[in-house]
Amino acid sequence: MLTIWTYDWVPGGEDFPRGFVRDLRLRWACEEAALDYQVKSTPFDNRGPDHFAKQPFGQIPFLEDDGMTIFESGACLLHLAKKSEKLMPRDPVGEAAALQWTIAALNSVEMVSVPWAFLSWSEGPDNGLADWLEKRLAHVEAALQGREWIAAGRFTVADIMMADVLRQMRRGDMPGHPNIRAYIDRACARPAFKKAFADQHAHFAAGDRARRI
Amino acid sequence: MLTIWTYDWVPGGEDFPRGFVRDLRLRWACEEAALDYQVKSTPFDNRGPDHFAKQPFGQIPFLEDDGMTIFESGACLLHLAKKSEKLMPRDPVGEAAALQWTIAALNSVEMVSVPWAFLSWSEGPDNGLADWLEKRLAHVEAALQGREWIAAGRFTVADIMMADVLRQMRRGDMPGHPNIRAYIDRACARPAFKKAFADQHAHFAAGDRARRI
């Protein structure tokens, strides 16, 4: 039995950050691969030594598997991918393709998109990282030309990471990038994504009710 | 025989970006594991369809292995780690530790440090990402307390990634973070790092001479 750890509660309303907290990536992967899992909570407030011992940056998610824990959503996804061919092809070429695109989502796209979103809170979307983000998105748009999924000619763990990174930008219809828009829509139409998304909402709604008592 | 692909030349002087181009991560890993490799060049100027077919963001490095290519320095390191226990422990706990810290270097540290450095060119080091960077460095500083290497009680591929990400910041003596400073020094004192660093300098010096003819 795998255990996905997330916060007991997150601030904000129905639309954000609920539905975007990164435990969703792990839920989604477990649903795609039909892996047996449960979800447990660590306090959002007053993160203590227990939390930092398992996630040294004081964040979530982290994954518990057979007595060991592993943090970073990217590392957790690659760890889960070892358990199921549904997440990662077993031939060397397909495996390399899924691995490189998983890392590309983290280090070529999210490395720009998350700091851009961070600066957007104080400086607006036309901040000092906007041009760089557009260049990176243009490369992803080109890579998706004629492709249903980003790697290996099939859905893989790389799509969980890339689609989640792209939808996190919440750029509406992703102007100028129709391939990205259609790709996000395809990913979010998958039953495993819908289940993970609904379950995360239910989890944080329950946390919200518990705080109000 | 592995082939590490990098640029034929990079702009700038002796000190930067020479010694910091990301093919160094792959050279370093191959040297640590005594893997047989060669280095080939793709043009820095006029990057064409051949380059984008192998690296969709038009960057380097990418790695050629037995007829297939893989891009993203993080993905290349994890690919190389499959070839040698010197780069990645073979027990599940050690493997998970090395994996999570490799991804943490990319997605918890470099995701802040590289955009911070990017903004520093136009806005100076006290830009909108400076506080966030300091918080992330404080967590790394705490994680290194009492540790020689970042994961699994030994040198792993995670140290290649984390030490390179940290030294890329070029923050001199890393004020306020003596553990990080000592960690970078330990990593850069390794013969494999020194060889990779010297070889990269020689590669780009040769590219420089070729352009001047």
Side-chain angles (χ1 to χ4, degrees), chain B residues 46-127:
Chain B
N46 304 316
R47 297 167 205 180
D50 282 359
H51 187 163
F52 280 89
K54 289 175 175 170
Q55 215 295 354
F57 297 88
Q59 298 188 301
I60 56 86
F62 48 90
L63 180 70
E64 206 175 314
D65 180 10
D66 195 21
M68 75 180 184
T69 58
I70 180 166
F71 70 92
E72 283 283 341
S73 63
C76 294
L77 286 189
L78 292 173
H79 180 79
L80 292 173
K82 292 177 192 165
K83 299 179 184 293
S84 173
E85 190 269 346
K86 290 192 178 173
L87 297 173
M88 176 87 89
R90 293 300 183 242
D91 66 290
V93 174
E95 192 179 8
L99 174 60
Q100 73 189 0
W101 279 108
T102 301
I103 303 292
L106 292 169
N107 202 237
S108 284
V109 184
E110 195 164 46
M111 193 183 75
V112 188
S113 63
V114 163
W116 167 83
F118 179 91
L119 290 178
S120 292
W121 289 96
S122 53
E123 302 177 16
D126 194 25
N127 60 62

Side-chain angles (χ1 to χ4, degrees), chain A residues 52 56 59 70-72 75 82 95 99-101 104 106-108 110-111 114-115 118-119 128-129 136 139, chain B residues 52 56 59 70-72 75 82 95 99-101 104 106-108 110-111 114-115 118-119 128-129 136 139:
Chain A
F52 280 89
Q59 298 188 299
I70 181 166
F71 70 91
E72 284 281 341
K82 293 176 192 165
E95 192 179 7
L99 175 60
Q100 72 188 359
W101 279 108
L106 292 168
N107 201 238
S108 284
E110 194 164 46
M111 193 184 75
V114 163
F118 179 89
L119 290 179
L129 299 175
R136 290 289 162 99
H139 291 311
Chain B
F52 280 89
Q59 298 188 301
I70 180 166
F71 70 92
E72 283 283 341
K82 292 177 192 165
E95 192 179 8
L99 174 60
Q100 73 189 0
W101 279 108
L106 292 169
N107 202 237
S108 284
E110 195 164 46
M111 193 183 75
V114 163
F118 179 91
L119 290 178
L129 299 175
R136 290 290 163 101
H139 291 311

Side-chain angles (χ1 to χ4, degrees), chain B residues 22 61 88 96 118 135 200:
Chain B
R22 280 165 176 65
M88 176 87 89
F118 179 91
K135 283 178 190 163
Q200 182 178 94

Side-chain angles (χ1 to χ4, degrees), chain A residues 12-52:
Chain A
E14 287 287 314
D15 293 339
F16 191 83
R18 289 182 199 176
F20 293 90
V21 182
R22 281 166 177 65
D23 64 79
L24 190 141
R25 295 171 178 177
L26 280 58
R27 294 174 183 266
W28 187 1
C30 287
E31 292 291 338
E32 292 281 358
L35 298 172
D36 195 23
Y37 73 102
Q38 60 182 346
V39 178
K40 287 190 177 175
S41 297
T42 184
F44 178 86
D45 300 321
N46 303 318
R47 298 167 204 180
D50 283 359
H51 187 162
F52 280 89

